[in-house]
Amino acid sequence: MPFDQADTSFGEPFGSQRPRFNIGKHESARDAPLTDLQYGYLLNQGIDFVTTPVTNSHFKTRVFELVSDHLAVLRRQGQEPTSTETGSQADPIVLPLTPEDTGLFPSPAVNTYTAYISPWIDLCSSNSLIASISRQVLNLEVNYAAFCGVRTIVIAGPARDASRGGGNRALAQYSRAVQEALTIGPSLTVLIHMPMYREPEEPEDLECAIETLSSLDPREATLKADNQEAELFGAWSSWHHVRSSCNYSLRLFVALQVPRVMPERALQNRWFAEPLHYLTLKPRVFQQNKAGYPCLSKCHQELIFSYMRLKTVPWILLCDVGPDSADFKPDDPSALSASNRPPLTDEDFPSLAAAHDPASGATFSHGPGANAHMVYLQWLETQQSPFTALETPTLTSFQDWLQSPLQPLSDNLESATYEVFEGDPVKYNQYEAAVEEALSEWKDLNLPTSKEGTVVIAVAGSGRGPLVTRALKAAETTKVDVDVWAVEKNPNAYVYLLRQNQMLWGGRVHVVKTDMRAWKGPVLSQSPETGPVYGKVDILISELLGSFGDNELSPECLDGIQHVLAKPHGISIPQSYTAHMSPISTPKLYGDILARSAADATAFSTPWVVRLFAIDFVCEKVPNHGRFQQAWEFSHPVPEGTLQNVEARRSGGIMGGGGGSMAGAAGANDHNSRYCHVTFVCRTAGVTHGLAGYFESTLYESRLNAQKVEISTHPERIDRKSKDMISWFPIFFPLKEPISFPADTELEVSMWRQTDDTKVWYEWQMEAWTWVGQATRIKVASSGLCSSRKVACLM
């Protein structure tokens, strides 16, 4: 393991910066908040934040006595409070807090604390008395912490999952209690401390186990023993139950406990999509390296590094490990000053493989003492890969941020929007390569041109002119004479194009202000007697593609301008494009859309443009069923017979008009409607919140050797076809209700591209089918039909 002491300050060039670790400290045995001097000591060891208990051992003793006494009374009366029905026996009430019950009081520092709710309560207890008292304690502590000014609280996760030992009932109790806590503390951020999965308990875990209220009921120990064997995704399923019951509250997050043994990648990816706030590390997670330092395995490092790439970086919480506030010595003058450690070298952090290699003959040193874990994490921070060109602050801010799709035909874009598009050199390099290839082959094949000795090029929807510039460069590279026309409907962009023609293009471009569908073609000549004479275009270039390929009406726009394309050799760039999709789990986006739906009735009907990042692709790649599957394809130019049918339908010459697929439509745009039905296979249980959409496009395919110039946002192919392209973010088709499904499920998706000759919209539906026999399936869930007709793209 090399050691790099690279500084990560903001003064560095961006390419050398890395995600920053925010490291906190939790001491489970602590009975009271830190003193100011203890807090200062930890801050000077590199700790950024600390946790605090809300109540102390005095309160715990009072509650335990209350429960114990009440249970004794019930047993003497022959009653056992084991169900939700308590009969005529009322549960005791936990009296309000007193100054003897807590050391937490309002202070200037209290809003920097994270309050940890007493871990000795058991909200999942099958004993109704213990569950009731636990809920009362939770409400008291949440209410008091909010009063003191605490902003964040952590609640220990449910003690059992739904798979065994009455887990369904337990989770219902737990979820209801958390929902109530969110109501009691309306300004609090609530974290549920969840394990990534339930690891088998080891002797040291039993020694460190906290005595809970359930220890007062001997039957709880039996239930716990019956619940030892748990499924890998059980803890995630419990978390999903809790946040679903809380209606995807935007104030509910996860504090994820990193396990000693890393699970399979599918579970790591599942948690990556969740609203992570803390990653918690216990002593058992660390191993000792050759130099005596605590270290994390390569798998643990990769997990942390990948999670640190999230827009909201999770903080690291050291639990019962790292610098100890008890080490503070008030009489030590250096205790509150920054520690002066000797410089660390490669020898301090050899790999774990070297540390455990018997052939090395290594002898372990004592290591750096109590601050060893802190020093290691500070060093590990420098081992992350620097931010890439795709991780600039601007691009990172777009992670999982909902944007409404553009309406390029009905709206005129602003200059800033064009500028964002133009900031992607990859796309324009590919377009330039496509034009170069087309011009070279035109020259090599000696094809006829629409203007003698000159290839006529039209850029439809020129915007601010980047494609015009690339077309001129391609002509210079290939030494082919061209006549370039720039067509743009936006009156403001038209002014900019005229200026570009003066300042950059030297007057070589003909700039036309009109909707491309109304353009009659290049003007060859003009006279007062005969008027203008229009010619044809040899190469038609456009950048009308959307996140799903066709969602910004590229097919309709190119249909409208195809009449100017020369026959039979005219070329359209792009020549074709395909739409692809995959079901995803994205609880953050779903929660965001759910919150918006309170004020926006179309929130779940909108196909959102999103830079999808914190997501989990829930399906697997299996034979005949890929993780990403094609929905449909469009090619240009369309056959001439198709356009003739369009004109006939538009004029009522076919079926008397009104014969389109939509009521009242003539069907003039029906050739651009599409339908698909695809099946995805899910190996593990999970939940899907909608469909992620991508596209691929062939800009130009060689007539000589069939080689293609392509662009793609397809996650499995983008690096091969257009690496680092950022012009298009994916599209997200949300479901109104998430679909939860068991393992070995098939998700069947039906999707339509609909049109009524005036607008275009999408309809989508998902069904979950599970096999119950070799030839029998049952449907376990369905989304119903979702439609974007109310937010359709206007033609």
Side-chain angles (χ1 to χ4, degrees), residues 13-272:
F14 176 78
S16 60
Q17 295 182 30
R18 298 167 174 82
R20 182 182 180 276
F21 285 4
N22 288 282
I23 304 173
K25 185 73 170 67
H26 170 66
E27 299 172 10
S28 59
R30 173 158 287 282
D31 192 46
L34 298 173
T35 65
D36 289 345
L37 291 177
Q38 288 175 324
Y39 193 10
Y41 171 77
L42 289 181
L43 291 176
N44 279 287
Q45 307 311 304
I47 294 296
D48 297 295
F49 67 101
V50 295
T51 65
T52 183
V54 180
T55 57
N56 56 27
S57 58
H58 180 276
F59 179 70
K60 179 182 178 180
T61 300
R62 178 157 70 87
V63 174
F64 267 65
E65 290 176 351
L66 176 68
V67 173
S68 180
D69 292 346
H70 195 78
L71 285 174
V73 170
L74 292 178
R75 292 191 183 99
R76 285 197 298 270
Q77 297 175 351
Q79 299 183 36
E80 295 293 344
T82 58
S83 69
T84 55
E85 299 295 333
T86 59
S88 60
Q89 180 68 47
D91 291 336
I93 296 176
V94 179
L95 297 178
L97 299 179
T98 67
E100 290 74 26
D101 294 326
T102 180
L104 183 68
F105 299 99
S107 70
V110 75
N111 60 4
T112 67
Y113 285 121
T114 294
Y116 204 104
I117 300 301
S118 294
W120 44 263
I121 63 174
D122 187 0
L123 298 166
C124 292
S125 176
S126 61
N127 187 311
S128 60
L129 170 64
I130 293 175
S132 173
I133 295 297
S134 297
R135 189 174 66 253
Q136 292 183 53
V137 171
L138 172 66
N139 293 344
L140 278 173
E141 294 193 354
V142 168
N143 199 4
Y144 185 70
F147 163 77
C148 289
V150 170
R151 297 177 179 176
T152 303
I153 63 170
V154 181
I155 305 175
R160 63 186 67 136
D161 300 325
S163 56
R164 298 173 65 89
N168 282 325
R169 173 186 160 188
L171 281 175
Q173 290 181 167
Y174 184 94
S175 302
R176 183 63 186 86
V178 173
Q179 186 181 30
E180 190 173 356
L182 286 165
T183 304
I184 292 173
S187 61
L188 287 176
T189 296
V190 177
L191 278 64
I192 307 299
H193 197 178
M194 295 294 305
M196 185 172 278
Y197 68 97
R198 307 278 182 189
E199 292 185 281
E201 291 185 341
E202 297 183 358
E204 59 266 29
D205 299 320
L206 298 176
E207 293 175 5
C208 300
I210 296 174
E211 180 188 24
T212 67
L213 286 174
S214 293
S215 63
L216 300 176
D217 186 348
R219 283 165 303 190
E220 286 291 320
T222 303
L223 282 173
K224 185 176 181 181
D226 291 341
N227 198 38
Q228 284 300 302
E229 184 180 348
E231 59 177 300
L232 184 62
F233 284 78
W236 173 84
S237 296
S238 297
W239 155 250
H240 175 55
H241 185 288
V242 173
R243 61 100 177 280
S244 298
S245 300
C246 295
N247 209 25
Y248 285 79
S249 171
L250 298 180
R251 294 189 289 117
L252 187 64
F253 296 85
V254 174
L256 185 63
Q257 180 180 320
V258 178
R260 182 177 64 84
V261 179
M262 293 301 298
E264 61 183 66
R265 181 69 65 177
L267 182 57
Q268 297 180 41
N269 292 342
R270 183 69 54 82
W271 283 111
F272 179 80

Side-chain angles (χ1 to χ4, degrees), residues 485 522-528 530-535:
W485 293 73
V523 177
L524 299 180
S525 62
Q526 187 168 358
S527 67
T530 61
V533 176
Y534 299 100

Side-chain angles (χ1 to χ4, degrees), residues 328-501:
F328 171 68
K329 305 293 190 299
D331 55 347
D332 183 355
S334 64
L336 293 179
S337 62
S339 58
N340 298 316
R341 306 186 192 98
L344 296 172
T345 67
D346 293 356
E347 297 300 321
D348 292 313
F349 295 104
S351 68
L352 288 172
H356 294 283
D357 183 6
S360 66
T363 57
F364 292 94
S365 67
H366 178 63
N371 289 336
H373 298 83
M374 194 68 220
V375 173
Y376 173 72
L377 288 177
Q378 290 171 336
W379 171 82
L380 188 63
E381 180 182 30
T382 68
Q383 303 307 296
Q384 300 174 96
S385 299
F387 286 124
T388 66
L390 299 182
E391 294 176 312
T392 63
T394 299
L395 286 175
T396 300
S397 68
F398 280 104
Q399 284 183 15
D400 302 311
W401 184 59
L402 298 169
Q403 302 175 74
S404 299
L406 294 175
Q407 290 270 13
L409 290 183
S410 58
D411 299 333
N412 288 322
L413 304 182
E414 297 179 349
S415 179
T417 304
Y418 288 121
E419 189 172 358
V420 172
F421 298 154
E422 295 166 13
D424 180 8
V426 177
K427 174 180 70 172
Y428 294 109
N429 290 342
Q430 292 298 93
Y431 264 94
E432 183 178 341
V435 178
E436 279 187 18
E437 190 70 20
L439 290 175
S440 296
E441 292 194 359
W442 203 292
K443 181 180 178 181
D444 294 341
L445 296 173
N446 197 26
L447 298 176
T449 58
S450 298
K451 184 176 180 180
E452 186 175 354
T454 303
V455 177
V456 180
I457 298 176
V459 179
S462 301
R464 302 201 314 177
L467 284 183
V468 176
T469 301
R470 295 304 184 114
L472 292 172
K473 288 180 64 177
E476 294 173 358
T477 302
T478 57
K479 297 180 171 53
V480 174
D481 292 333
V482 295
D483 186 28
V484 180
W485 293 73
V487 182
E488 176 55 51
K489 74 173 182 65
N490 186 337
N492 305 308
Y494 171 72
V495 175
Y496 190 85
L497 288 171
L498 292 175
R499 183 176 183 275
Q500 289 289 84
N501 199 24

